[in-house]
Structures are given as C-alpha cells and as structure tokens.
Amino acid sequence: MTVTIAPATLQDIAELRQLYFDVYGHGYPVALGSDPAEMRRLIDDPRTHWLIARRPGGEPAGSAVVQTDPGSQVGKLVGLVVHPSHRRGGLAGQLTAAVCAAAFATGCLDSVYATVRMVTEGPQQVMVRNGFEPLGLLPNAAEVAGCESLGLFARFADGVLARREPVPQAPAALGPLLGAAQDSTGIPYGAVLRPDALDTAVPPWPTEPVTADIEVISAPSFVHRRFLDLFPDPAGRYYPLHAPNAVLVPPDGAFEAYADLDPVTGSCSLVAVHPYPAAVTHALEPLMAAVSRAGADYVETLLPLSDTASLSAFLAAGFVPSAVYPAMRRIGDRSHDYVVLSRTSRQIDFRALAVSGPLQPYVNAYLTAWTATYLPRQEVSL
C-alpha cells in the first residue's frame, strides 16, 4: 500500500478522532485519540512528534506519536494505530520507524519507550523489528478491552548503553528479572547478584503498619505546586513523562505520596514520596485500598537499580519486580538503570496473553517473583 506520512496538523484532529474511533470504538483510554483539546495541545507542542499516514485519496490510514521529555532525554511512543482495512501491510512498522527517526533526529533523546498491548503478538513484533528491546511485563496495567497486561520496550540512541554506570549489587529478589533482561537484551547482569547482595536492611523508617484510611487529594494545580515546593531538585522527582495529579496522605501526615492517578486506565504511578520513598511502605495496604477506591487497581513505582534500601522496602511490601530499564537516566556522562516495581489488587490472568519470544523470559521471571512473594514456601515446595 502506498501512503504519505507527514506531521499531523490542527486541521487533522477530526479525522484523527474518527480513525481512533474506527479502531477502538469508545474504548480508547488515551486522551490524544479522543479529546480535541488535548490533541490540539500535543500537535502544537514542539516536544511532540505526531505523524499521520494517508492513503492516495487522502483518507487517514494510521497515526503514531512520540511525546518527549527533553529534561530527562526520554520519549514515549503512544497512539500507534492502523485502520482495520490497512493492516498486514507493514504500515505500523513504517509509522514506528518514521516517528522514532523524527524524535531521535533532534539529538535530545537517549531512549524512546513504549508499552504494548499483549492481546496479539503483532505489536510486539513491530517493536522488535524497529530496534526496540524488551524490558519487562506490566501485569494488569491498563483497562482497555477489560483488564490487560502490557509489555515494556525501549529503543536506545547510539552509544547510550555503552555509558551505563555499573551497579555493584542488587537485592537477590531481582534475580529472575535481571536474568530475563540478560537473556533478552544481552546486558550482563549476572555480576550484580552476588551472594552477599543485600536482601534486607535495618530500616530507618517507621515499621508499625498504618491501618487508618489514606486521604486522596485530587486537586491537580495544588498538587503540582506542592510537588515542586517539596522537590525543587529534578533529581528528587525523576519519573519521565508522568506528572502527579493527586497526593495520598495518612492522617498523621507522616508522608506525602505523589501519584499520577488515571481512573480511565485503572492505573496509578507513584511519582515521588516525601520525605523518602520507603516512608510509604509501612502503609501500602491502606494506600492500595485508597487507590482502588479512586478507580485504579494497578500501582507502579520507578526506582534506581542502585537504591538497594528502597528496592528492598517495596519488595517487602508486596511489590513485584516487573521491568528493568537500562541507561534510563543520564547524570553527567554516565547513564543509570532503573527498575519498575508493580502491585495489582486484581487477580492476574495470563491465559489471554499472546507472548512473542523476546517477552517470554519476562513472563517466566514475573511468575517466579510473584510466587516467591505471595505463596508460602511450603506450598511452593509441594
């Protein structure tokens, strides 16, 4: 199929909305395909690369977007869609290649990541064919056509992975995940998991469980101002392309957990915690209950692979290692690895997953980690 691929303009909004409707009906959970105001903002934003593919007659055949965060040098591929009448012709791959080329051509990005639905293998194969590396599995991460799991992939600019800062050790509970990453990407993580790697530490934070209800303050402008006041240094609020719109607070005010809470997709990202990340771990049960009442059944957080204490605290609180993002953050001339930890309050059902080869090690790793976290050892041995 011959198509013309060009940047989207404000005049394309109505046709783009129809394109996303033709593919998803009313079930598309992302504003860029349904909200004209958000679509207008993104098309006008020089940090966003939005391409539209048109057939010879001018009708839209596909769309793809890369949103970028130049401050963190990370981009995200979103909104990749091809009209049902033009699938199986390679258009998804063409759009992915073109929009990523436009984003990397700015010279401002170290990597672009994408979260991919796993109802079919096709999207996973598109990622791999376009140079994306599989990084992990995010179970129950989004409400699309029901509760779905997503695969995490990333594509790196030349030379970025060679600048990775080595990590001397990591909690042994990360072993299955790091082993999967080594199998899939070839990054040698084996030396990180030495026998003396710290699994636990004497916590410098409160350990008495919180049982009282957590308050959820959903006032985006206030939350944003308060967030910037408490975290004036960007290093303390590193979570690319996520901005908090809610804050979760216990009755005694012992911590403030800033979250990107999205009831439409049923997901929540813990962006930052004041005064320190592990302060929230003794209150994870009421926090999960509060997030669930607010419409999200999935919670994730992002931590440096080198932050053994915080990783150990979240692992002890029932979070499961889900993905590892190598060279995610550049500090000076070195790039640092991060880990995605997740927790879901819904039962995970992997029977509907269509898993391509590159992601299979991560499915196995997640199942191993989940079993070690939630099944008593005597049951596992039986």
Side-chain angles (χ1 to χ4, degrees), residues 98-359:
V99 76
C100 287
F104 279 116
T106 64
C108 298
L109 296 181
D110 284 344
S111 63
V112 170
Y113 74 91
T115 53
V116 178
R117 298 176 69 197
M118 301 179 67
V119 290
T120 66
E121 294 187 27
Q124 302 163 55
Q125 296 167 354
V126 169
M127 293 294 103
V128 172
R129 285 197 294 266
N130 277 277
F132 282 74
E133 299 281 0
L135 303 181
L137 176 72
L138 309 177
N140 288 0
E143 187 75 32
V144 185
C147 188
E148 294 188 11
S149 298
L150 304 177
L152 178 66
F153 290 79
R155 176 173 164 179
F156 298 89
D158 292 342
V160 169
L161 291 177
R163 297 196 302 266
R164 290 177 54 249
E165 180 70 17
V167 175
Q169 62 183 24
L174 297 182
L177 171 63
L178 297 182
Q182 182 167 301
D183 291 344
S184 288
T185 67
I187 293 175
Y189 279 113
V192 173
L193 294 162
R194 301 200 313 261
D196 60 343
L198 298 177
D199 289 323
T200 60
V202 177
W205 51 83
T207 56
E208 187 69 25
V210 172
T211 57
D213 286 346
I214 299 290
E215 298 174 352
V216 180
I217 302 171
S218 300
S221 296
F222 165 77
V223 169
H224 184 67
R225 291 194 303 270
R226 174 75 173 166
F227 178 65
L228 294 180
D229 286 343
L230 290 177
F231 299 95
D233 182 358
R237 47 184 163 91
Y238 180 81
Y239 211 127
L241 297 163
H242 285 73
N245 58 7
V247 59
L248 299 99
V249 186
D252 63 0
F255 64 82
E256 295 181 18
Y258 287 82
D260 182 2
L261 183 61
D262 187 352
V264 176
T265 61
S267 65
C268 174
S269 299
L270 287 180
V271 176
V273 179
H274 179 79
Y276 42 79
V280 75
T281 57
H282 67 295
L284 255 300
E285 298 307 325
L287 185 143
M288 290 294 296
V291 166
S292 183
R293 289 194 301 271
D297 299 303
Y298 168 87
V299 178
E300 68 179 24
T301 193
L302 182 71
L303 294 170
L305 180 58
S306 60
D307 188 354
T308 301
S310 294
L311 286 168
S312 296
F314 274 88
L315 290 166
F319 275 71
V320 178
S322 299
V324 58
Y325 198 134
M328 185 179 192
R329 181 182 181 190
R330 189 196 297 188
I331 302 175
D333 62 351
R334 306 298 293 172
S335 297
H336 298 259
D337 297 4
Y338 274 70
V339 177
V340 180
L341 302 176
S342 69
R343 181 169 162 172
T344 176
S345 57
R346 285 197 197 186
Q347 180 177 341
I348 303 171
D349 186 354
F350 286 147
R351 290 174 297 180
L353 290 188
V355 183
S356 65
L359 270 182

Side-chain angles (χ1 to χ4, degrees), residues 18-52:
Q18 184 62 47
L19 173 64
Y20 284 94
F21 178 81
D22 289 344
V23 175
Y24 290 102
H26 293 289
Y28 191 60
V30 181
L32 69 81
S34 57
D35 182 349
E38 178 65 5
M39 297 170 78
R40 186 176 300 110
R41 184 189 71 81
L42 291 173
I43 290 173
D44 279 339
D45 187 347
R47 299 169 299 180
T48 298
H49 306 270
W50 193 328
L51 298 184
I52 181 171

